[in-house]
Amino acid sequence: MKKIFIIFLFFTFNVTAQECSEFFLIRHAEKNRTDPNNKNPNLNEKGKLRALSWVEVFKNIEFDKIYSTNYNRTKETVMPISKKIDQKILIYNPSKINFEKFLLDNRNNKVLVVGHSNTIPSFINGLIKQELYDQIDDKNNSNLYIVKVCNNSISHNLLYIK
């Protein structure tokens, strides 16, 4: 009787895992427009409902960081998410963002950024290193921008969340 020997060779590959960061960017929810002179209004009733609906949209995402501008409407938009996941809100100034540093500081993180119709598109453009996104229409509080940075590869999407 012949004996057959099977030799298994095991190879070990040193594969570097991709380092990916994900950024989710939204404009604040609907604001109270009763006083046109108020530069820092709160959310109106529709905005409060939208803030709660963002909790549902993001229910399966574990954010490592949450950023908001220092305005009532942006902080109120993100507060329900912040409370649900017990994550503090980091205040940022959109006119003072160093995007290279921001990307380094948030490497391998899932990050939520809340801003304004005129700041979120420029924030995204800074992350993707292209002038692609224009200012958001003032009546639109429904856009969700997703930017994914993996090593040197950048992808981005725009979703409309009703």
Side-chain angles (χ1 to χ4, degrees):
M1 178 184 323
K2 285 185 176 179
K3 291 187 178 178
I4 298 176
F5 291 98
I6 300 175
I7 300 173
F8 291 99
L9 297 175
F10 293 96
F11 294 95
T12 303
F13 294 96
N14 188 5
V15 178
T16 305
Q18 279 198 336
E19 293 185 357
C20 294
S21 305
E22 290 182 90
F23 302 93
F24 300 80
L25 302 99
I26 60 174
R27 178 187 179 206
H28 62 79
E30 290 83 352
K31 64 184 176 182
N32 184 328
R33 296 177 183 267
T34 56
D35 180 0
N37 295 319
N38 184 354
K39 300 294 183 195
N40 193 16
N42 295 91
L43 296 181
N44 63 22
E45 289 308 309
K46 187 174 181 183
K48 291 174 186 174
L49 290 174
R50 183 177 304 278
L52 293 174
S53 73
W54 283 121
V55 173
E56 184 64 21
V57 169
F58 295 127
K59 71 181 178 186
N60 294 319
I61 300 172
E62 294 183 30
F63 291 112
D64 298 295
K65 294 182 185 174
I66 297 173
Y67 290 90
S68 173
T69 59
N70 198 17
Y71 286 87
N72 292 336
R73 59 194 175 274
T74 51
K75 292 184 290 188
E76 289 174 10
T77 298
V78 78
M79 188 63 69
I81 298 165
S82 169
K83 284 182 178 177
K84 183 173 191 277
I85 65 173
D86 194 28
Q87 186 69 257
K88 69 179 180 174
I89 299 170
L90 304 169
I91 302 300
Y92 76 97
N93 183 335
S95 65
K96 296 185 178 182
I97 294 289
N98 174 327
F99 290 102
E100 292 300 322
K101 183 175 179 344
F102 186 83
L103 286 167
L104 281 173
D105 289 347
N106 291 291
R107 189 169 53 214
N108 295 324
N109 286 333
K110 289 185 178 160
V111 177
L112 176 61
V113 179
V114 182
H116 307 270
S117 62
N118 61 337
T119 65
I120 286 297
S122 58
F123 202 111
I124 298 157
N125 291 338
L127 291 175
I128 66 173
K129 301 173 184 159
Q130 295 180 55
E131 291 299 316
L132 187 62
Y133 293 99
D134 294 323
Q135 185 168 321
I136 303 167
D137 183 273
D138 192 46
K139 295 178 183 172
N140 180 356
N141 300 85
S142 303
N143 288 357
L144 167 58
Y145 301 85
I146 303 170
V147 177
K148 189 170 184 177
V149 180
C150 295
N151 298 327
N152 292 322
S153 176
I154 300 172
S155 64
H156 49 92
N157 294 294
L158 167 57
L159 303 174
Y160 184 84
I161 309 297
K162 189 89 174 163

